[in-house]
């Protein structure tokens, strides 16, 4: 594929350029050669015709007019002479090497009677093999020696009309054209012969090695390294590739190390989590006993200052119990027990539970969709999600502010939104707040949102922050209208 495409790009233009050059060289060479050969042919034909004319002239002066026809036929036998004839000024052929012409009219020659010099034209003979014919016309002038026989005639008694075959043209052209074509072919062979192995050695083989190495890297082998090819451009790519594989190897080693550390950490955390969960479970029972004792002592105590201390201690025990409960739930999440329940009733309950109307506490306003269908889910867990959102909203809301709780349905979900009028969640914390143990509060556990999100996911729903980076944080949780398929 690679080889084909590279050669397909190079060879056709190369062939085209060489063919074009060959044609141009042949054309220009032929034209130059034509000029030179034509000139030579003219000189040869004129010289030949002058010799013939002189011979004929001597015959005529000797009064051997009757031998003229015979002499012309003998001259016409020469391979160089196509035809030789004597033409009178009125165009009548008086003798010719082609006897059948004798006595016929050659109208084309009449015009020549007015001239007084040589006339020549060159024509190409069409019959095979094609050759050039130089047509030379020489005048027999009416000199004083001719007056005896031709007194009454004009300045030219007759014309010697001779066609000389000039085969050098045809031979020269044919030789030159075949030489030129052969030379073009040789150039082409040489170019391809040098180019193809050169390309293969300098570019294609290294590229193939590079492609093979890429395949190995793709399969995960990062020990590969491609040897330099000795070509600057290819070697730049090769060294870039080797560097890239080296970087990749390093990055993978770092990633592997991080993954190993992470695994170790996860394992340690799992052990610690299990331990913490076991501890939390064990501690909660005695803790509730201690709280019951504290409550009795508080009720029976008559000293107000001691009573306050006991109440504070009992309050701290409630907080510890809450932390342990969240820790337990985080470490050992319970699968939801799906039951039908009234969604809006649950919302009203949770709001009533969370908003006791204390001094400075924000107000809660409900904006509920009363057409909601019966919801399916673990009502206890959904309530826990909502209570967590409401408590967070109370913490974030302005003093004496407002928390709006709304519900609705759409896209196969029943949803509930809790929006406060607080500072909102910075954009760079939008996801962090859902991670376990992230908290910005001095007495927070950082488990509320992560537990809530997991509860919603176990229900096939979602919990999202609607407006990261904006004031008045708005959280929405969505519960599928139909219960999740049992897994
Ligand atoms: P906690 O309440 O114990 O801190 P959460 O998981 O419930 O744990 O909340 C994690 C953090 O998310 C909070 O400490 C707080 O920084 C941020 N957060 C939660 N709700 C809001 C809110 N309504 N407005 C602003 N920040 C909030």
């Amino acid at each position: 594929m690679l080889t084909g495409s590279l050669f397909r790009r190079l060879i056709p233009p190369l062939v085209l350029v060489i063919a074009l050059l060959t044609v141009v060289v042949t054309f220009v060479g032929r034209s130059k050669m034509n000029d030179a050969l034509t000139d030579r042919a003219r000189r040869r034909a004129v010289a030949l015709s002058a010799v013939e004319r002189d011979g004929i002239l001597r015959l005529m002066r000797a009064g051997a007019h009757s031998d003229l026809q015979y002499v012309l036929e003998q001259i016409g036998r020469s391979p160089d002479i196509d035809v030789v004839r004597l033409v009178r000024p009125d165009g009548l052929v008086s003798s010719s090497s082609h006897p059948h012409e004798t006595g016929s009219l050659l109208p084309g020659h009449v015009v020549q009677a007015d001239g007084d010099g040589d006339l020549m034209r060159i024509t190409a003979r069409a019959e095979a093999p094609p050759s050039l014919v130089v047509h030379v016309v020489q005048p027999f002038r009416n000199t004083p020696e001719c007056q005896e026989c031709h007194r009454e005639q004009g300045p030219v008694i007759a014309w010697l009309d001779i066609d000389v075959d000039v085969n050098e043209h045809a031979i020269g052209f044919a030789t030159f054209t075949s030489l030129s074509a052969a030379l073009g072919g040789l150039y082409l062979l040489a170019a391809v012969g040098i180019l193809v192995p050169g390309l293969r050695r300098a570019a294609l083989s290294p590229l193939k090695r590079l492609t093979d190495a890429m395949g190995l890297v793709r399969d995960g082998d990062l020990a590969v390294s491609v040897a330099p090819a000795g070509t600057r451009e290819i070697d730049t790519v090769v060294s870039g590739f080797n560097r890239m594989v080296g970087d990749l190897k390093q990055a993978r080693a770092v990633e592997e190390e991080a993954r190993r550390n992470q695994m170790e950490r996860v394992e340690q955390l799992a052990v610690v989590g299990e331990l913490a969960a076991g501890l939390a479970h064990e501690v909660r029972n005695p803790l509730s006993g201690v709280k019951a004792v504290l409550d009795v002592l508080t009720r029976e105590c008559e000293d107000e200052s001691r009573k306050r201390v006991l109440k504070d201690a009992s309050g701290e025990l409630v907080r510890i119990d809450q932390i342990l409960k969240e820790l337990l739930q985080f470490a050992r999440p319970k699968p939801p027990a799906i039951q039908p329940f009234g969604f809006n009733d649950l919302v009203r309950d949770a709001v009533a539970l969370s908003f006791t109307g204390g001094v400075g506490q924000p107000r809660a306003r409900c904006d509920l969709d009363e057409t909601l269908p019966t919801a399916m889910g673990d009502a206890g867990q959904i309530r826990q999600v909502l209570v967590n959102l409401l408590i967070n909203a109370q913490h974030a809301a302005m003093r004496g502010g407002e928390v709006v709780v709304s519900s609705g349905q759409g896209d196969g979900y029943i949803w509930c939104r809790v929006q406060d009028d607080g500072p909102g969640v910075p954009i760079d914390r939008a996801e962090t707040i859902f991670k376990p143990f992230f908290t910005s509060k001095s007495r927070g556990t950082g488990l509320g949102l992560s537990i809530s999100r997991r509860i919603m996911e176990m229900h096939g729903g979602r919990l999202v922050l609607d407006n990261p980076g904006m004031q008045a944080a708005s959280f929405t949780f969505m519960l599928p209208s139909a219960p999740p398929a049992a897994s």
Side-chain angles (χ1 to χ4, degrees):
M1 172 75 186
L2 183 70
T3 309
S5 69
L6 199 57
F7 281 137
R8 219 172 298 144
R9 272 164 185 261
L10 279 176
I11 301 300
L14 186 77
V15 170
L16 202 73
V17 167
I18 291 179
L20 262 173
L21 276 177
T22 308
V23 168
V24 169
V25 166
T26 309
F27 185 76
V28 173
R30 274 181 71 117
S31 153
K32 293 267 177 225
M33 191 177 215
N34 186 34
D35 291 348
L37 286 178
T38 304
D39 193 47
R40 196 173 116 78
R42 268 173 203 277
R43 278 188 277 112
R44 235 190 82 206
V46 169
L48 203 65
S49 68
V51 170
E52 305 300 355
R53 191 187 60 168
D54 289 351
I56 292 167
L57 208 57
R58 253 199 303 281
L59 254 167
M60 283 164 74
R61 282 184 192 139
H65 288 79
S66 53
D67 293 342
L68 264 176
Q69 176 62 35
Y70 174 76
V71 170
L72 289 191
E73 281 177 30
Q74 291 310 310
I75 294 171
R77 287 219 171 95
S78 156
D80 284 347
I81 308 279
D82 198 30
V83 60
V84 55
R85 52 173 89 86
L86 272 175
V87 184
R88 291 211 321 235
D90 57 1
L92 194 82
V93 179
S94 60
S95 315
S96 169
S97 60
H98 293 168
H100 61 272
E101 282 185 358
T102 310
S104 60
L105 262 177
L106 286 181
H109 292 257
V110 177
V111 280
Q112 297 159 6
D114 299 330
D116 58 354
D118 299 345
L119 184 130
M120 225 168 18
R121 76 195 134 85
I122 297 183
T123 49
R125 246 188 359 204
E127 65 263 26
S131 64
L132 282 181
V133 173
V134 179
H135 184 91
V136 187
V137 180
Q138 296 266 10
F140 288 98
R141 300 196 187 283
N142 203 348
T143 57
E145 296 143 289
C146 307
Q147 289 291 310
E148 200 179 315
C149 304
H150 302 282
R151 189 180 318 220
E152 301 305 320
Q153 289 179 4
V156 174
I157 302 166
W159 299 87
L160 174 69
D161 187 335
I162 182 164
D163 285 356
V164 182
D165 242 336
V166 200
N167 283 323
E168 291 105 315
H169 268 62
I171 295 165
F173 282 169
T175 314
F176 181 78
T177 309
S178 25
L179 267 179
S180 185
L183 215 62
L186 269 177
Y187 284 151
L188 193 68
L189 274 179
V192 172
I194 293 169
L195 201 76
V196 171
L199 249 178
R200 207 180 283 281
R201 206 173 37 249
L204 297 181
S205 302
L207 280 178
K208 168 93 175 56
R209 284 204 300 275
L210 206 60
T211 322
D212 291 349
M214 279 176 188
L216 288 175
V217 171
R218 201 176 44 235
D219 295 344
D221 180 0
L222 292 181
V224 290
S225 163
V226 181
T231 318
R232 190 158 25 100
E233 293 79 358
I234 299 284
D235 281 354
T236 311
V237 180
V238 166
S239 67
F241 173 79
N242 286 341
R243 239 192 341 266
M244 194 186 75
V245 174
D247 291 352
L248 213 62
K249 207 158 132 188
Q250 219 168 359
R252 185 164 292 182
V254 171
E255 197 181 301
E256 190 61 31
E257 177 71 20
R259 207 175 59 82
R260 236 190 341 265
N261 289 344
Q262 171 90 357
M263 289 283 288
E264 278 170 15
R265 205 174 126 70
V266 165
E267 276 166 24
Q268 284 166 0
L269 273 177
V271 173
V272 172
E274 235 353 271
L275 248 166
L279 204 67
H281 187 73
E282 292 304 317
V283 168
R284 277 189 80 196
N285 284 343
L287 211 61
S288 59
V290 174
K291 185 171 180 305
V293 172
L294 270 180
D295 287 348
V296 171
L297 285 177
T298 310
R299 267 198 310 276
E300 287 173 357
C301 182
E302 291 187 354
D303 181 341
E304 274 310 310
S305 64
R306 284 193 177 174
K307 204 169 185 164
R308 221 176 14 257
V309 172
L310 287 172
K311 260 189 183 165
D312 284 352
S314 170
E316 286 305 307
L317 282 185
V318 171
R319 200 177 108 70
I320 292 171
D321 185 58
Q322 180 60 27
I323 293 171
L324 291 176
K325 206 168 106 190
E326 283 187 4
L327 204 64
L328 250 176
Q329 200 173 2
F330 177 73
R332 294 179 186 159
K334 278 200 205 124
I338 308 288
Q339 297 280 338
F341 66 95
F343 195 80
N344 283 342
D345 293 344
L346 181 141
V347 174
R348 286 190 198 94
D349 271 5
V351 170
L353 197 76
S354 315
F355 288 80
T356 49
V359 185
Q361 200 186 39
R363 289 182 316 280
R365 181 162 62 82
C366 289
D367 179 12
L368 307 179
D369 176 357
E370 297 301 342
T371 66
L372 291 185
T374 303
M376 294 294 287
D378 187 321
Q381 291 187 356
I382 301 294
R383 185 183 292 108
Q384 187 186 343
V385 171
L386 184 52
V387 167
N388 181 55
L389 293 181
L390 291 171
I391 289 171
N392 279 347
Q394 278 183 30
H395 289 163
M398 303 216 297
R399 201 174 158 73
E402 187 180 65
V403 173
V404 181
V405 185
S406 39
S407 66
Q409 56 187 315
D411 293 335
Y413 288 97
I414 297 173
W415 54 262
C416 177
R417 182 169 301 135
V418 177
Q419 181 159 31
D420 58 57
D421 54 1
V425 179
I427 201 144
D428 54 329
R429 282 197 189 164
E431 271 311 305
T432 327
I433 57 169
F434 290 99
K435 296 214 167 109
F437 305 112
F438 173 81
T439 181
S440 61
K441 302 170 190 169
S442 55
R443 291 168 72 90
T445 59
L447 286 172
L449 285 178
S450 67
I451 290 175
S452 299
R453 181 171 262 187
R454 194 162 58 197
I455 288 175
M456 291 320 300
E457 283 170 356
M458 284 194 303
H459 277 81
R462 283 190 293 149
L463 165 63
V464 290
L465 168 67
D466 303 318
N467 54 353
M470 292 165 73
Q471 287 206 326
S474 163
F475 287 85
T476 302
F477 66 87
M478 285 156 267
L479 186 67
S481 306
S487 54

